[in-house]
């Protein structure tokens, strides 16, 4: 196909503005990407501040576009959510991450190392799917990943829809034996009461707060408060976006459980992650 030039070969309806066209273009491209297996996962380690060992890993979606190269999720997740394509894309991610987690844990078991927890993002849109729990159960069964090794990352937005429905869903997911974590904690607008009412296991402190450690006293106060809140509720707390030694030490001093961030490692392709496992990389 010709590139659209000045006299454009581009398909154009006068009622559509450029933005609508762009969206349509991306939506079609996303559909194709799924059909052509252009999605892949990168993996970012989560490290324990106690012994410095890798204890978990978050799976992060990437789109390997034939012309654009690797496209980061911020550029397509929003649209995938609006169009509903996040549902099949998210299921693909869950399935791949669990299969990968199973393979890595088998290797670790053979080398006398404890299993890793595999963290997978679930979008709010996936929460409106009536068969979500059945699908998660099916993936666990098919891949053989023990439920205790799967951590589902949700955002606070899931508590803003139908609260009863969310409560039932979380209870059913929890009953599978998986771990539930709240992503980007502190950025949502929902009430804190859900932490008591729902079976949450982990809080992930949003990186905007971590970013300003040693810069902004208010953000430091928020970080310390979230850690205290988590521990009072018997939840584990993970700080994301840790980029410096200074941030790391601050979090350690304030008793944060785990960190994730560029300081230890960026999200990397599976082969690079395996390299870290083989080296038994520690903080
Ligand atoms: P997130 O779930 O909050 O993931 C963490 C993001 O922070 C990742 O961006 C990661 O690369 C980035 N990050 C990690 N450490 C650092 C650091 O030290 N500094 C900075 N500046 N950034 C750091 P990424 O991979 O671009 O993903 C962006 C967002 O896209 C994710 O944010 C998540 O909301 C969404 N996403 C990614 N994969 C999936 C998926 O499979 N399903 C769904 N629904 N959303 C996904
Ligand atoms: Ca996440
Ligand atoms: Ca996050
Ligand atoms: Ca700030």
């Amino acid at each position: 196909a010709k590139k659209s030039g000045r006299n454009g070969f581009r398909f154009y309806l006068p009622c559509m503005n450029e933005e609508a066209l762009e969206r349509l273009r991306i939506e079609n491209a996303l559909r194709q990407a799924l059909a052509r297996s252009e999605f892949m996962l990168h993996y970012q380690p989560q490290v324990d501040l106690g012994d410095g060992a890798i204890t978990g890993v978050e799976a992060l979606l990437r789109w390997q576009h034939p012309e654009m190269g690797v496209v980061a999720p911020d550029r397509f997740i929003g649209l995938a959510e609006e169009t509903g394509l996040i549902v099949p894309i998210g299921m693909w991610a869950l399935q791949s991450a669990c299969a990968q987690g199973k393979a890595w844990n088998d290797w670790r078991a053979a080398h006398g190392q404890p299993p890793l927890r595999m963290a997978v993002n679930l979008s709010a849109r996936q929460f409106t799917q009536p068969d979500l729990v059945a699908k998660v159960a099916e993936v666990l069964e098919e891949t053989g990943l023990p439920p205790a090794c799967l951590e589902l990352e949700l955002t606070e937005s899931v508590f803003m829809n139908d609260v009863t429905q969310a409560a039932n869903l979380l209870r059913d997911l929890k009953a599978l034996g998986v771990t539930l974590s709240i992503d980007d904690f502190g950025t949502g607008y929902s009430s804190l009461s859900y932490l008591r009412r729902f079976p949450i296991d982990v809080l992930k402190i949003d990186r905007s707060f971590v970013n300003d450690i040693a810069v902004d006293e208010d953000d430091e106060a928020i970080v310390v408060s979230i850690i205290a809140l988590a521990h009072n509720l018997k939840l584990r707390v993970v700080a994301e976006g840790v980029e410096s030694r200074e941030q790391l030490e601050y979090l350690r001093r304030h008793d944060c459980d785990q960190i994730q961030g560029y300081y230890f490692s960026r999200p990397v392709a599976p082969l690079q992650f395996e390299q870290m496992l083989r080296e038994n990389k520690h903080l």
Side-chain angles (χ1 to χ4, degrees):
K2 275 244 163 76
K3 277 263 162 69
S4 60
R6 178 171 286 279
N7 301 314
F9 294 96
R10 197 187 252 178
F11 177 61
Y12 189 79
L13 294 176
C15 60
M16 280 185 164
N17 56 28
E18 280 295 317
E19 207 181 296
L21 265 177
E22 174 73 3
R23 290 156 58 90
L24 195 63
R25 213 174 52 78
I26 300 177
E27 182 182 342
N28 280 327
L30 283 174
R31 254 180 236 291
Q32 281 190 350
L34 199 55
R36 294 177 183 165
S37 312
E38 289 171 4
F39 290 110
M40 61 181 174
L41 293 172
H42 277 186
Y43 295 92
Q44 187 176 36
Q46 298 180 339
V47 188
D48 199 89
L49 283 177
D51 62 6
I54 299 174
T55 52
V57 50
E58 179 175 3
L60 293 156
L61 206 51
R62 298 290 180 264
W63 176 10
Q64 178 74 60
H65 190 278
E67 284 141 41
M68 293 189 283
V70 178
V71 184
D74 285 338
R75 290 182 55 200
F76 63 86
I77 291 278
L79 230 122
E81 263 160 12
E82 283 172 42
T83 57
L85 282 168
I86 192 64
V87 173
I89 295 173
M91 277 319 294
W92 175 85
L94 179 69
Q95 158 80 39
S96 311
C98 288
Q100 185 66 87
K102 166 71 173 155
W104 284 338
N105 281 340
D106 284 351
W107 182 89
R108 285 171 68 83
H111 292 79
Q113 290 175 15
L116 295 177
R117 221 176 345 244
M118 176 60 74
V120 179
N121 292 284
L122 276 193
S123 93
R125 182 76 181 242
Q126 291 177 275
F127 261 79
T128 61
Q129 300 300 303
D131 60 351
L132 176 67
V133 178
K135 284 270 179 61
V136 172
E138 196 180 306
V139 166
L140 288 169
E141 174 141 355
E142 276 175 18
T143 59
L145 184 74
C149 293
L150 177 62
E151 185 163 299
L152 297 173
E153 297 196 358
L154 333 162
T155 53
E156 289 167 80
S157 58
V158 304
F159 303 109
M160 292 168 69
N161 306 331
D162 183 339
V163 176
T164 320
Q165 193 216 343
N168 290 337
L169 200 49
L170 294 182
R171 186 202 53 211
D172 293 349
L173 282 172
K174 192 68 198 157
L176 296 177
V178 305
T179 303
L180 301 177
S181 133
I182 303 295
D183 207 352
D184 308 333
F185 186 77
T187 61
Y189 296 97
S190 56
S191 135
L192 288 179
S193 63
Y194 71 81
L195 290 177
R196 255 191 308 116
R197 299 176 44 204
F198 299 135
I200 303 301
D201 306 286
V202 184
L203 298 186
K204 290 189 82 175
I205 307 174
D206 189 70
R207 73 164 185 262
S208 61
F209 304 121
V210 173
N211 197 40
D212 284 351
I213 285 175
V215 175
D216 182 332
E217 285 182 4
D218 292 339
D219 284 340
E220 286 183 353
I222 291 173
V223 167
V224 174
S225 305
I226 294 175
I227 296 171
L229 174 70
H231 287 164
N232 284 331
L233 294 169
K234 309 237 174 342
L235 309 178
R236 181 154 56 85
V237 60
V238 182
E240 55 180 21
V242 177
E243 295 184 356
S244 70
R245 176 101 234 159
E246 201 171 17
Q247 292 164 352
L248 169 87
E249 292 305 344
Y250 185 89
L251 291 159
R252 204 202 295 273
R253 255 196 332 274
H254 289 88
D255 220 17
C256 185
D257 299 302
Q258 283 153 12
I259 60 151
Q260 181 180 342
Y262 295 170
Y263 180 76
F264 186 77
S265 170
R266 290 188 170 252
V268 295
L271 282 177
Q272 286 168 273
F273 189 77
E274 282 164 27
Q275 183 65 29
M276 277 189 249
L277 294 184
R278 270 198 303 275
E279 288 169 356
N280 198 10
K281 180 173 171 169
H282 275 62
L283 253 184

